[in-house]
Amino acid sequence: MAVIGETVKDEPDGGDLILWLLVWSELAAFGVLLCGFLLMSYLHQDSFSLAKIHLDGRLASINTLVLIASGWLAAEAARASVMRTRQLALVGAAVLGFLFAAIKLLEYREELRFAGDATFNAFFELYFMITGFHLAHVVFLGLIMLLVARKPDRSNVVIVTTIWHIVDVVWLVIFPVVYLG
Amino acid sequence: MQYDKSKWLMGVAAGLLLIAIVTALIAAQWKHEAVPFVAFCVILVLTVVKARIVVLDFMGLRGPRRGLSIALIAWPLVFAIAAATKAGLASL
């Protein structure tokens, strides 16, 4: 696998299979959850529409920006040839990931008040499952990026930043499906 | 060559941020109302751009596995289209 800016050639036998497996394990898991959400929102249109009013779309929008900015820093880390730049970009991406988590927890604090309401039960069960699972990925990968930043070997940086971009893509799907749909 | 690609990356990042800002504004503005159809189109573009340019091209995840690459682009497309269709039907 080669990042733009490098002259390294791709492995002829497709040595990126492990990375593809990681990517698709993420996409498959979130795919099932999102399919479930779409199906339930079709079956319970009224309660889902009402429940969505209690979500904070502004905080979710801000979090979208935070994650996009974090993804850009992750891309910078993968591109950087200077060790120090790579470390700083990785730490920056991780810090923005933790900021995402903090904003999400702030959002949860308001939304938990409605979670116990029987009318919105199905919605909030799925909502917390999907966004909580995503949040766990963000926090875990943030910690991994901090670990990788201590000794930023290029192959490790490429793997962790690629998965980070996938988590970005997953959020960019969660955002319209859960908040705007 | 390196310089040009660097500029390209910055341009892509700026474009992504711009689209995200517009998306955020749309979402905030229509928080308590039906989200306009164009919001889904913006998200659709943003997500596919991210999957295509950043993950497949920039991170070099295209390689010889063409089927997996196409599937990676199709994944966000399917959900964005499904959400857009659902919103479109609901607004009728």
Side-chain angles (χ1 to χ4, degrees), chain A residues 1-6 10-17 19-20 23-24 27-28 30-32 34-35 38 41-42 52-53 55-58 61-62 64-65 67-69 71-72 74-76 78-79 157-158 161-162 165-166 168-170 172-173 175-177 179-181, chain B residues 2 5-10 13-14 16-17 19-29 31-32 34-35 39-40 43-44 46-47 50-51 54-65 67-73 75-80 82-83 86-87 89-90:
Chain A
M1 172 184 327
V3 174
I4 284 176
E6 278 190 303
D10 289 338
E11 292 180 27
D13 59 345
D16 56 353
L17 183 60
L19 186 53
W20 271 116
V23 165
W24 273 102
L27 294 180
F30 280 105
V32 168
L34 286 167
C35 279
L38 281 172
S41 67
Y42 179 74
K52 278 183 185 180
I53 293 171
L55 298 181
D56 195 331
R58 280 170 297 188
S61 302
I62 291 167
T64 305
L65 292 178
L67 216 52
I68 292 285
W72 170 66
E76 278 295 325
R79 190 180 65 94
V157 171
V158 169
T161 52
T162 301
H165 287 304
I166 293 300
D168 265 9
V169 169
V170 168
L172 290 174
V173 171
F175 182 54
V177 169
Y179 289 88
L180 306 180
Chain B
Q2 172 94 20
K5 283 173 180 171
S6 176
K7 281 180 75 176
W8 171 81
L9 174 64
M10 291 297 288
L16 286 174
L17 280 171
I19 295 168
I21 288 166
V22 173
T23 306
L25 288 173
I26 290 169
Q29 197 174 353
K31 189 190 167 195
H32 293 299
V35 178
F40 289 103
I43 299 285
L44 177 75
L46 178 60
T47 311
K50 174 89 179 174
V54 179
V55 181
L56 289 181
D57 291 333
F58 176 71
M59 299 306 296
L61 204 55
R62 190 177 297 277
R65 304 184 193 283
L68 287 172
S69 303
I70 293 169
L72 180 56
I73 296 173
W75 190 90
L77 256 178
V78 165
F79 285 108
K86 185 174 157 290
L89 288 174

Side-chain angles (χ1 to χ4, degrees), chain A residues 1 3 19 73-80 83 85-87 89-90 144-145 147-165, chain B residues 59:
Chain A
M1 172 184 327
V3 174
L19 186 53
L73 282 176
E76 278 295 325
R79 190 180 65 94
M83 181 82 82
T85 309
R86 204 182 295 170
Q87 284 177 317
L90 277 174
I144 295 293
M145 278 202 286
L147 276 177
V148 170
R150 294 178 66 186
K151 192 185 173 196
D153 176 65
R154 180 168 288 280
S155 60
N156 289 339
V157 171
V158 169
I159 288 172
V160 77
T161 52
T162 301
I163 301 296
W164 190 255
H165 287 304
Chain B
M59 299 306 296

Side-chain angles (χ1 to χ4, degrees), chain A residues 39-154:
Chain A
L39 184 65
M40 289 296 283
S41 67
Y42 179 74
L43 294 174
H44 305 278
Q45 290 184 21
D46 291 341
S47 66
F48 269 56
S49 299
L50 277 174
K52 278 183 185 180
I53 293 171
H54 299 301
L55 298 181
D56 195 331
R58 280 170 297 188
L59 284 181
S61 302
I62 291 167
N63 255 348
T64 305
L65 292 178
V66 169
L67 216 52
I68 292 285
S70 174
W72 170 66
L73 282 176
E76 278 295 325
R79 190 180 65 94
S81 52
V82 180
M83 181 82 82
R84 186 71 182 153
T85 309
R86 204 182 295 170
Q87 284 177 317
L88 285 174
L90 277 174
V91 170
V95 167
L96 286 178
F98 296 137
L99 176 63
F100 175 93
I103 293 171
K104 194 73 204 154
L105 290 176
L106 193 68
E107 194 188 331
Y108 278 166
R109 199 181 61 173
E110 296 299 316
E111 290 158 356
L112 275 171
R113 289 187 295 140
F114 305 103
D117 193 319
T119 315
F120 310 134
N121 209 16
F123 174 86
F124 278 107
E125 272 183 12
L126 281 167
Y127 168 77
F128 283 116
M129 197 182 296
I130 293 169
T131 57
F133 192 42
H134 180 267
L135 181 62
H137 276 78
V138 170
V139 172
F140 178 72
L141 280 172
L143 292 172
I144 295 293
M145 278 202 286
L146 288 181
L147 276 177
V148 170
R150 294 178 66 186
K151 192 185 173 196
D153 176 65
R154 180 168 288 280

